[in-house]
Amino acid sequence: MSRDSQDVFSRIDREQEGYLEELKDYLRIPSISTDPAYDPDVRRCAEFVLEKMRQAGLDARLIQTEGKPLVYGEWLGAEGKPTILFYGHYDVQPADPLEEWRNPPFEPTLENDGKHLVARGATDDKGQSYAHLKAVAALLAERGELPVNVKFIVEGEEESGGEAIETFVRTDDGELLACDGVFISDSSMYSPGQPSLIYGLKGMAYMEVRVDGPNRDLHSGSFGGGVANPGNALAYIVSQLLDPETGKIKIPGFYDAVRPIEDWERKEFASLPFDEEAYKKELGIEEVFGEEGYSTLERVWARPTCDVNGIFGGYGGEGAKTILPAWAGAKVSMRLVPDQDPEDIARKFAEYVESLAPKGVKVTVKSHHGGAPVLVSTDGPIVEAALGALEDVWQKPVRVREGGSIPIVATFSEVLKVPTMLAGFGLSDDRLHSPNEKFDVDNFYGGIRAVVRFLDRLGSIHQ
Ligand code: BES
Ligand code: ZN
């Protein structure tokens, strides 16, 4: 039998509101990693995490990289016991469009009778990963020791490519981070009160297309008909990415390496409660859309996709301005599934887009960041301990895949060669990457308890 965690739970009951205040301080730091203007805030945020790790009782330090610093902490006093590595990210997505926030994004606000904490980063990933740290802090404060060994690595570039941690893990060849299992909370539960263990994440190839025409914006009457329009050319290119009827991606060779969804997965996905009407209603859409021949969950979790993230160029202001723009651009992301290779897909995208270039304009394709798709194993005693811990707090978890990406997970699997547990405390309506992002306060507290249970259950495995 695993030790019961009542001693620590009582402490959490007494102190959890203080934990929430600390989380608010964390959320006040605008650690937007993609925009260099925020570099000082990103740094300050790393120092905040460092300080909190030290206060919890971890031996902690910053690891400088060519990009944003990594925050590392450890407590290795449980001799002969397994070691768990907790991963999280302290960076956040940009907050715009700012005018759609009910309160400023970096002034965390409790809404809905104190049930929701609203701020950029609330769920993704400050709130979720802070639950790991508070669990360890509560255990150490209560008992002066932990049932197992722990390591923490918190990165600052997850939302913008994650090169620093990727390089660190590969160069270090997994020495510092050597462990028996990785625990990550940077995703959602299946539904409120229904936890999930994710066994598949998508990969990513992120591209930018730029179409250049004349050396300046031109009068569309004096020059239209004489000069190719980059806006029109870009629209044509974008229209050729996807078949609007079948939802199939038209890039030659795009599907070559796609591993088919297995029969047992189709059955398992189909057995999950999924209310498509409620889904449409919550999102304000009339119809779902995607690749033909697959259900919505199959498409979101296990089929590759291609999406325009933004189109820009020309006149977008009030009223009408009659120009033929000098240039136009688009950002396009492709979510990948095993065994697609981000570099191979980026190359195929570039070749295809260049081949579509209409006459009279110059088309350039740039590749931003990528990340490999991953499937992780969900067997073994450590994973069982995580499943049991989630069940202790909520109910028996379901096994699912996810459409989101956490690029370092594939690298962890490859280099550390241990099970990775993806157990999120978020909810699907948390609005991550959108205005008014929130985190359920009860899930923050529940997440802390689940991690305590996980470590206590693990501690009793090897006695
Ligand atoms: N937390 C998300 C990933 C996620 C979202 C997992 C939803 C499961 C469910 C993560 O912070 C994220 O947004 N990652 C980026 C990575 C990208 C920039 C390479 C993503 O998925 O867009
Ligand atoms: Zn995240």
Side-chain angles (χ1 to χ4, degrees):
M1 255 309 276
S2 73
R3 166 168 201 175
D4 92 21
S5 310
Q6 277 317 318
D7 53 341
V8 185
F9 279 14
S10 307
R11 172 179 288 269
I12 296 170
D13 283 339
R14 289 194 309 275
E15 297 186 350
Q16 59 188 16
E17 279 161 29
Y19 302 167
L20 191 65
E21 287 307 313
E22 290 173 30
L23 174 57
K24 285 191 196 164
D25 289 340
Y26 190 9
L27 290 167
R28 285 191 185 96
I29 310 172
S31 47
I32 302 170
S33 59
T34 199
D35 183 347
Y38 290 89
D39 280 356
D41 297 299
V42 170
R43 222 203 134 74
R44 190 155 58 87
C45 199
E47 279 159 9
F48 178 94
V49 177
L50 174 70
E51 188 55 36
K52 293 297 173 193
M53 281 187 189
R54 288 187 173 150
Q55 285 171 7
L58 302 181
D59 190 3
R61 61 189 157 92
L62 292 187
I63 299 173
Q64 301 301 343
T65 69
E66 287 197 1
K68 323 289 187 223
L70 300 166
V71 196
Y72 175 78
E74 62 179 30
W75 187 93
L76 303 175
E79 224 190 299
K81 298 286 184 179
T83 302
I84 295 300
L85 172 68
F86 289 98
Y87 161 89
H89 61 93
Y90 65 82
D91 65 321
V92 301
Q93 286 274 320
D96 53 291
L98 288 178
E99 64 281 5
E100 289 186 25
W101 286 79
R102 289 183 295 271
N103 289 289
F106 298 103
E107 289 177 22
T109 312
L110 284 170
E111 294 186 359
N112 226 338
D113 284 334
K115 290 196 194 72
H116 295 164
L117 181 59
V118 181
R120 171 56 85 231
T123 188
D124 186 11
D125 176 40
K126 288 177 175 174
Q128 294 197 51
S129 60
Y130 204 57
H132 300 161
L133 187 57
K134 288 329 286 183
V136 165
L139 274 159
L140 279 171
E142 187 60 32
R143 301 187 192 149
E145 60 176 16
L146 297 177
V148 295
N149 301 298
V150 299
K151 296 180 176 179
F152 280 76
I153 188 86
V154 186
E155 69 156 314
E157 308 183 348
E158 195 274 345
E159 301 289 7
S160 55
E163 263 158 46
I165 190 168
E166 170 80 24
T167 310
F168 175 75
V169 173
R170 290 200 184 275
T171 330
D172 190 56
D173 202 19
E175 266 192 42
L176 183 69
L177 303 185
C179 61
D180 300 290
V182 185
F183 193 93
I184 301 180
S185 304
D186 189 18
S187 52
S188 303
M189 296 175 46
Y190 184 67
S191 58
Q194 174 59 70
S196 55
L197 197 74
I198 294 171
Y199 67 92
L201 289 170
K202 282 187 178 170
M204 158 88 76
Y206 200 107
M207 313 296 295
E208 184 160 344
V209 182
R210 180 164 164 122
V211 180
D212 282 284
N215 58 11
R216 60 185 185 278
D217 289 356
L218 301 172
H219 188 286
S220 61
S222 311
F223 294 94
V227 178
N229 182 322
N232 297 16
L234 180 77
Y236 169 71
I237 291 169
V238 166
S239 76
Q240 295 306 304
L241 293 174
L242 216 71
D243 183 315
E245 290 301 318
T246 61
K248 293 270 178 207
I249 294 155
K250 290 165 68 174
I251 301 165
F254 183 83
Y255 291 101
D256 285 357
V258 170
R259 210 189 290 179
I261 309 179
E262 301 202 21
D263 283 345
W264 67 266
E265 298 185 280
R266 297 196 98 154
K267 283 201 194 97
E268 215 161 291
F269 295 178
S271 74
L272 291 168
F274 179 69
D275 182 343
E276 198 148 283
E277 288 310 312
Y279 179 81
K280 290 193 285 193
K281 192 155 173 252
E282 205 263 320
L283 298 175
I285 55 170
E286 297 275 315
E287 287 297 334
V288 293
F289 175 75
E291 189 184 357
E292 71 177 9
Y294 297 92
S295 72
T296 301
L297 284 184
E298 288 170 350
R299 296 193 304 249
V300 173
W301 289 349
R303 295 293 300 171
T305 55
C306 176
D307 284 286
V308 169
N309 294 247
I311 296 198
F312 32 89
Y315 184 66
E318 289 291 316
K321 180 184 180 202
T322 45
I323 54 159
L324 192 160
W327 63 274
K331 299 203 191 240
V332 180
S333 63
M334 289 167 286
R335 298 274 175 179
L336 313 179
V337 300
D339 298 304
Q340 287 176 300
D341 169 40
E343 282 175 26
D344 176 56
I345 293 294
R347 204 184 50 247
K348 287 177 169 149
F349 177 95
E351 281 169 12
Y352 178 56
V353 164
E354 281 156 11
S355 80
L356 293 171
K359 273 196 279 192
V361 292
K362 186 168 146 253
V363 173
T364 348
V365 183
K366 184 170 139 190
S367 175
H368 286 271
H369 49 71
V374 66
L375 290 172
V376 297
S377 102
T378 51
D379 301 323
I382 295 186
V383 179
E384 288 301 320
L387 291 167
L390 295 171
E391 186 168 354
D392 290 340
V393 175
W394 290 288
Q395 56 175 306
K396 199 175 160 54
V398 288
R399 274 194 308 174
V400 299
R401 287 170 70 164
E402 249 302 341
S405 313
I406 308 173
I408 197 61
V409 173
T411 317
F412 279 159
S413 288
E414 189 190 321
V415 179
L416 304 178
K417 300 187 177 66
V418 295
T420 300
M421 287 144 285
L422 295 154
F425 309 133
L427 290 177
S428 58
D429 65 353
D430 275 353
R431 297 173 158 262
L432 45 162
H433 299 202
S434 304
N436 303 303
E437 175 178 348
K438 61 105 171 137
F439 189 35
D440 271 45
V441 173
D442 277 346
N443 280 16
F444 177 52
Y445 298 154
I448 297 171
R449 287 174 172 75
V451 172
V452 170
R453 288 300 302 142
F454 174 48
L455 299 180
D456 266 348
R457 276 177 168 269
L458 260 185
S460 58
I461 291 181
H462 306 266
Q463 266 174 355

